Amino acid sequence: MEFRLLGTVAITTEAGELPLGPAKRRSVLAALLLRANAVVPVDRLIDTVWAECPPARARTVVQGHVSRLRALFEQGGADDYGVELATRAQAYELRMPDHLLDTHRFEEMVQLAGHQKHPGDAVLMLREALALWRGPALTGTVASEPLLGAAHALEETRLVTVEQLAAAYGRLGEHTKAAAVLRAEAAAHPLRESLTAALMLSLYRTGHQSDALDCYHRTRTLLADELGVDPGPALRAAYEAVLRGGIPGLIRGGMPRGAPDVAPGAAPPHPGSPAPERLASDRTPAGHADGETGARDAGAGSEAARTDGIPLSPAAGGAVDASPGRVGTVAQPPGAPVPAWAEATAGTGALGGGAAALPAPDLLPRTPRGFLGRERELAALDAAVDAARVAIVTGPAGVGKTALALHWAHLRAERFADGVLYADLRGFSPDEGLDAADVLREFLPALGVPPRQVPESPTAAAALYRSLTEDRAVLVVLDNVRGADEARPLLPAGARGAAVVTSRLRLGGLVVTELARPVPLGVLGLEESAALLAAAVGADRVAAEPAAAHRLAALCDGLPLALRVTAAQLAARPHWRLADLAAELADEQRRLALLSVDGSGGGEGQGVPAALRLTVQGLPDEAALLFRQLGALPGQDLDRHAAAALLDRPPAVAAEALDRLCDAHLLTEYAPGRHTLHDLVRLYARGLHPDEEALLRLLDHYTLTAMAAARAAEPDDLPCCAVPPDVRRPSALPHFAGRDAALLWYAAERDNLAAAVAAARAAGRHDRAWRLALLQWPYMLWNSHDGWVPLLEAGVDSAAREDDPDAESRARALLGWLLTQDGRVPEALVHLRLAPELAARAGDASSEATALVNLAVALDTTGVTPESLAHTARAAALVRDGDDVITELLALEHRSRQLLAAGDPAGALSCAHHGLKLDGDTVNGLLGLRHGMLTATAGAALLALGRTAEAEATLTRARELGLTHAHQETVHRAETHLRHLRTPETAACRGAGG
């Protein structure tokens, strides 16, 4: 789990990013993360979330967002990472390990860089620190003063770090890189004089004196025009130094330590010349050219830094470049002993009589073009190879597994003195793939075995291969492997060798038998995707339409294959703008067609649909059927019970099918038991045409599960609807242990249930639509300010279309209550005045009573009136003789508060006592909640009557009930009255016998 502030505020897990939702929720999270492991008062959160005056119920809104964050933490497995969002009275504390927060890691790496003696090491650490930034800090949050201030402070630390990186490059003598780093930031921050001064010096040292002077004059003019000031001392000193050809000690931070100033009139150092410091204290291993980069010096270390004959992984960003002399072969150094693999073939004439060592094989294809980014995955591949000797690069079709493996292999080829072998096993090709025997017929000759002496028997060939690789530092790259059995015979046998395997499947067999280390490869982010487009169609074209480039990246799901096809479409249409193609791709009916490339020579073509087709063709039958049924899935994710409904199989069978789809990277298990799929995969599944009953089975699963969740969350209340008469009952439903489990299910499925309502309406199944909307009422009760109105408006419309007055009454009553909670009373009254009439027409006393109470609540927002008192009296009378205790308690609770507000504390106390006598031995669920509220009202009435001792005992009991049932309103009311009891005036009255 990782928390991100340096860019869009986000929470990421191994399965992907958690859906944070609206900007206010991101702002609450950002405020808690900015003060992680410290107590943050609710008032501070309110100031953070609202840029202007907060609403009256701001505290409740914040509590709702905190509740949703807790549910998201649960989904992401926060407990496993030591993350907890705790309540502290009127405050919250987000407890977490520091290393999970990107701002902490950024600060830590910058501090470490400051302690490095060699500038090459500092460069590596500063680059890694800056790589944590994914855009402007705190993106996606509210533009409130606290967050704007925090974002500005973080941006300032980033700019200082950029200046430090440029200075480190300068100390290495790499002034061109320093200028490149500074140029972009100086353009973005033209009034920051320190950036311009550093850029001027870097440009001067690369031999661009005129460009340096031009920078100064542009900045001087801008300062005068924008601020009406002259350049400061640092900028003037840089100008004078460049003008006369001397670099004063005051501003020579980019020069190597101990280097002399450039003499007036002297030419600047040649851009390619090494820095004096490096000439004096170069750490390059013997035999390497002095002109190699500082990154190589810092990352490669010495030949002694090896594990089992292979160098330890360089730090992130410190990739070792291929040697200029290495073109397909690596000659043995003079006098080196003949390696074991050569000795094994010495009698065959492969060594020309044994007089000289064979060149090490190099079967790698060329370096992939347009490879960008992936620093984290390259580092993970380093770690996997070092730790396990066998790494499996896994990911969906088109994500760039082959490109990553080849790029890494080219970067690290020098670590494998005995050569590199490569084979594409074509496991996901429409043609028949290669087996191990086919590959060995290529590998053995590359290892020095004459072709005529390659054994015909696969067993003998595998044995010879094992003997040749037993003591050899060889890298084997196996591409597009479908099964562990295909790869296992091709792995190098000795501890000095290593293998990188790529597959669309997870290849758990290699993990078990070979202790292979998986390296999952995900899609690209927006910036990386835009960079890939720029590399293919031109940076100018992408820079002219940055928003459209990001839109294309999103429509391509960040999938490199889709992005490359998109680039091909743009290259073929130079007159098209990026926005034109984005508009075309936005049409879901055409997107996959646009992401296809026609094959040549009668082939089936390339692109996203072809890649997905080949993946699906290799699935087991149940998994293939489930994938086809996913085309009916209206939401973004599903669990095994939803999959069972789509598949019309038991959950255990569905779970197995889900695992197979995850193995093929068609689904991602982003949280335990929850699976999602990318948009392009979803579109492809929809084109496979699920059976006609799949959607209805899924709707009925959601309906029956929601009814079970409502019973678990509020066991004391009556069901809000009956089961549809033609329901398709699944073989099993989820079990809910209690309210918490039910509310967690509601939270996890909220978006899916909303999508199910929309799908039901689109399919004309309004009988399911209104039920699915209304059945979420227990979750709405605890999260009333969370944007439920559109969903319930759809529910009202569907109930009306079904001509079901009771359903319409319930939906309008709930919608009216929510609108009242949001302060939209005139809109609420439209629904609430209709609801009792509809319930009466349906002959449902409970519905009518609930509607009357909700109407009274709305009317009382402007003061208690005879009309609202009559509604609560009528509501209580309607259910008094029935078995609906909860609705009677609802009516009595509100009526007692009305009477208290109207100045009748005795009537309020009598009404509250009457309610507390109803099922007084049971205080669970809603019953306990209503008892808590009635107890608080009784305590307030006793206080108003001057019966302070009884009032204190009653209010203390109310507070306990509120805490027990996590009802903050009851706790707040009780504590407010208790504080009043403890004022000096009240205490004096009590002392006087009051």
Side-chain angles (χ1 to χ4, degrees):
M1 175 173 275
E2 179 182 347
F3 294 84
R4 297 178 177 177
L5 294 176
L6 304 180
T8 300
V9 174
I11 308 173
T12 62
T13 65
E14 291 180 357
E17 188 171 312
L18 296 179
L20 279 179
K24 285 185 172 60
R25 190 171 304 139
R26 290 180 189 270
S27 302
V28 170
L29 175 63
L32 293 169
L33 289 172
L34 287 167
R35 293 177 57 83
N37 298 309
V39 174
V40 183
V42 173
D43 290 339
R44 182 189 292 268
L45 293 176
I46 291 172
D47 293 339
T48 301
V49 170
W50 280 273
E52 298 178 354
C53 295
R57 301 187 62 83
R59 187 176 299 269
T60 304
V61 174
V62 168
Q63 291 168 348
H65 287 308
V66 169
S67 174
R68 179 60 176 159
L69 287 174
R70 284 189 174 124
L72 286 172
F73 287 178
E74 178 76 17
Q75 292 177 37
D79 288 346
D80 296 337
Y81 295 89
V83 177
E84 179 186 9
L85 180 48
T87 301
R88 296 283 179 268
Q90 300 299 313
Y92 297 100
E93 181 184 3
L94 180 51
R95 295 194 295 232
M96 59 184 290
D98 290 337
H99 68 269
L100 298 182
L101 184 57
D102 59 357
T103 52
H104 174 81
R105 296 199 306 279
F106 173 80
E107 180 183 2
E108 189 175 57
M109 283 185 283
V110 171
Q111 289 177 348
L112 285 173
H115 294 297
Q116 301 308 305
K117 294 181 179 180
H118 194 277
D121 295 334
V123 164
L124 292 177
M125 292 181 180
L126 292 171
R127 286 178 56 187
E128 187 173 357
L130 289 168
L132 292 171
W133 286 75
R134 297 167 179 83
L138 306 184
T139 297
T141 60
V142 174
S144 62
E145 184 176 347
L147 291 180
L148 289 174
H152 177 77
L154 289 169
E155 174 66 6
E156 179 64 24
T157 63
R158 188 187 70 84
L159 291 174
V160 170
T161 304
V162 169
E163 293 171 346
Q164 292 172 351
L165 175 60
Y169 274 133
R171 290 195 295 276
L172 286 171
E174 295 177 353
H175 304 299
T176 300
K177 290 184 178 180
V181 167
L182 293 166
R183 192 188 297 273
E185 296 298 339
H189 304 275
L191 297 177
R192 189 180 179 91
E193 295 185 50
S194 58
L195 279 173
T196 304
L199 176 59
M200 289 173 60
L201 300 179
S202 296
L203 289 171
Y204 172 80
R205 291 171 184 131
T206 60
H208 296 84
Q209 185 178 27
S210 61
D211 289 342
L213 294 173
D214 184 56
C215 276
Y216 173 80
H217 290 300
R218 285 202 311 269
T219 304
R220 179 178 61 81
T221 302
L222 192 62
L223 287 169
D225 292 343
E226 297 288 335
L227 304 178
V229 298
D230 293 327
L235 192 55
R236 289 198 307 271
Y239 171 65
E240 293 167 5
V242 172
L243 199 61
R244 67 173 185 268
I247 307 298
L250 174 67
I251 53 171
R252 52 184 290 191
M255 291 291 287
R257 292 189 297 272
D261 292 342
V262 180
H270 189 276
S273 63
E277 181 188 26
R278 292 195 60 212
L279 293 174
S281 59
D282 199 326
R283 301 189 302 163
T284 306
H288 286 207
D290 286 343
E292 292 179 9
T293 65
R296 180 182 180 120
D297 295 340
S302 67
E303 289 299 315
R306 291 177 176 266
T307 301
D308 294 332
I310 297 177
L312 294 172
S313 304
V320 181
D321 298 328
S323 170
R326 184 179 186 278
V327 184
T329 63
V330 177
Q332 293 290 333
V338 179
W341 65 266
E343 292 179 348
T345 57
T348 68
L351 295 178
L358 281 176
D362 184 357
L363 301 186
L364 278 180
R366 65 171 175 81
T367 304
R369 292 182 181 139
F371 186 88
L372 297 168
R374 299 293 198 186
E375 286 84 1
R376 180 177 297 181
E377 290 83 356
L378 289 169
L381 201 44
D382 278 333
V385 169
D386 285 346
R389 319 308 301 158
V390 180
I392 310 172
V393 180
T394 65
V399 81
K401 300 179 293 296
T402 299
L404 177 73
L406 290 178
H407 186 79
W408 182 89
H410 278 282
L411 288 175
R412 305 292 183 256
E414 287 186 345
R415 297 168 54 183
F416 302 93
D418 297 319
V420 183
L421 303 175
Y422 170 86
D424 181 358
L425 273 64
R426 302 200 294 269
F428 304 93
S429 168
D431 305 321
E432 186 176 350
L434 299 179
D435 59 22
D438 297 327
V439 177
L440 287 173
R441 281 191 282 272
E442 297 180 9
F443 279 6
L444 289 173
L447 293 172
V449 179
R452 293 182 181 179
Q453 297 187 25
V454 173
E456 288 293 328
S457 163
T459 302
L464 178 57
Y465 177 72
R466 287 194 297 273
S467 69
L468 293 178
T469 58
E470 181 65 37
D471 190 33
R472 185 170 184 184
V474 61
L475 172 64
V476 179
V477 180
L478 303 175
D479 202 11
N480 291 308
V481 175
R482 180 173 282 280
D485 291 341
E486 299 168 6
R488 197 174 285 114
L490 302 174
L491 302 177
R496 300 178 63 212
V500 174
V501 179
T502 77
S503 181
R504 298 180 191 179
L505 305 178
R506 293 189 289 199
L507 299 185
L510 287 183
V511 178
V512 173
T513 63
E514 308 298 328
L515 299 180
R517 184 77 61 87
V519 180
L521 189 61
V523 297
L524 298 174
L526 290 181
E527 296 301 330
E528 291 174 313
S529 300
L532 179 57
L533 288 174
V537 304
D540 293 343
R541 198 170 175 187
V542 171
E545 298 181 79
H550 286 170
R551 178 66 174 146
L552 284 174
L555 290 169
C556 291
D557 270 351
L559 195 68
L561 174 61
L563 290 163
R564 290 177 181 274
V565 175
T566 298
Q569 300 277 14
L570 290 169
R573 300 171 174 84
H575 57 287
W576 275 39
R577 297 179 305 130
L578 271 64
D580 296 330
L581 184 55
E584 294 290 321
L585 284 174
D587 183 356
E588 292 188 350
Q589 304 301 318
R590 298 195 58 213
R591 190 179 307 167
L592 287 179
L594 289 169
L595 294 178
S596 300
V597 178
D598 291 337
S600 58
E604 71 168 53
Q606 302 177 10
V608 176
L612 291 172
R613 185 180 307 115
L614 293 172
T615 303
V616 174
Q617 284 175 357
L619 292 172
D621 290 344
E622 293 286 1
L625 176 59
L626 176 57
F627 184 76
R628 180 163 64 90
Q629 304 293 57
L630 289 177
L633 184 70
Q636 297 296 315
D637 65 354
L638 76 166
D639 61 8
R640 65 191 180 99
H641 291 281
L646 288 171
L647 198 55
D648 200 16
R649 300 284 194 278
V653 176
E656 178 68 20
L658 286 170
D659 283 344
R660 298 291 75 76
L661 293 179
C662 287
D663 284 344
H665 291 92
L666 294 169
L667 287 180
T668 300
E669 188 177 14
Y670 69 91
R674 300 208 65 85
H675 305 77
T676 188
L677 63 166
H678 289 292
D679 284 345
L680 294 178
V681 178
R682 188 190 318 278
L683 290 177
Y684 184 77
R686 287 177 182 170
L688 300 181
H689 306 297
D691 73 60
E692 296 179 356
E693 296 297 312
L695 175 61
L696 188 56
R697 289 196 302 270
L698 183 65
L699 295 177
D700 286 347
H701 154 70
Y702 283 139
T703 300
L704 293 172
T705 305
M707 294 181 76
R711 286 193 299 271
E714 305 299 349
D716 301 320
D717 208 356
L718 297 176
C720 71
C721 63
V723 175
D726 60 341
V727 70
R728 276 80 168 163
R729 290 189 177 274
S731 59
L733 288 173
H735 171 70
F736 300 106
R739 174 185 289 164
D740 289 345
L743 293 180
L744 281 174
W745 180 85
Y746 278 121
E749 298 287 359
R750 176 178 174 178
D751 292 340
N752 291 332
L753 293 173
V757 170
R761 286 168 55 79
R765 299 310 306 247
H766 293 285
D767 58 333
R768 266 61 171 185
W770 73 259
R771 284 179 168 87
L772 286 170
L774 203 58
L775 279 166
Q776 298 178 63
W777 73 266
Y779 191 60
M780 296 177 190
L781 183 69
W782 297 92
N783 301 273
S784 59
H785 296 279
D786 213 6
W788 297 101
V789 169
L791 177 73
L792 280 174
E793 287 176 338
V796 168
D797 181 72
S798 288
R801 289 173 183 267
E802 284 291 295
D803 194 21
D804 187 332
D806 184 51
E808 186 179 351
S809 169
R810 292 174 182 267
R812 288 187 184 276
L814 183 55
L815 174 57
W817 180 78
L818 286 167
L819 286 167
T820 302
Q821 299 302 302
D822 280 345
R824 298 159 63 178
V825 176
E827 297 173 67
L829 288 174
V830 172
H831 297 282
L832 292 172
R833 291 196 183 281
L834 289 172
E837 299 173 7
L838 289 164
R841 177 150 53 99
D844 192 308
S846 293
S847 292
E848 185 179 357
T850 300
L852 287 169
V853 172
N854 289 356
L855 175 58
V857 170
L859 292 171
D860 287 347
T861 56
T862 56
V864 178
T865 63
E867 180 189 357
S868 66
L869 282 168
H871 289 324
T872 54
R874 167 73 175 157
L878 280 169
V879 292
R880 184 162 296 142
D881 297 329
D883 59 355
D884 187 359
V885 175
I886 292 297
T887 303
E888 185 177 359
L889 281 174
L890 172 69
L892 293 173
E893 192 275 326
H894 189 70
R895 182 167 179 78
S896 64
R897 293 175 69 173
Q898 285 179 313
L899 293 169
L900 186 63
D904 184 5
L909 183 61
S910 174
C911 185
H913 281 165
H914 176 65
L916 291 170
K917 292 177 183 177
L918 298 175
D919 283 359
D921 295 334
T922 307
V923 285
N924 297 320
L926 275 180
L927 191 62
L929 185 149
R930 295 298 171 201
H931 276 202
M933 298 174 73
L934 280 166
T935 304
T937 303
L942 288 166
L943 184 61
L945 292 169
R947 295 157 62 177
T948 53
E950 296 174 76
E952 183 172 12
T954 303
L955 291 168
T956 300
R957 171 63 176 156
R959 182 179 179 277
E960 292 172 355
L961 286 169
L963 291 171
T964 298
H965 297 282
H967 193 243
Q968 291 300 319
E969 182 181 349
T970 298
V971 175
H972 176 70
R973 288 180 61 204
E975 289 180 344
T976 300
H977 291 304
L978 285 169
R979 282 196 298 270
H980 178 71
L981 268 170
R982 291 159 189 156
T983 59
E985 295 81 359
T986 308
C989 290
R990 296 174 66 188

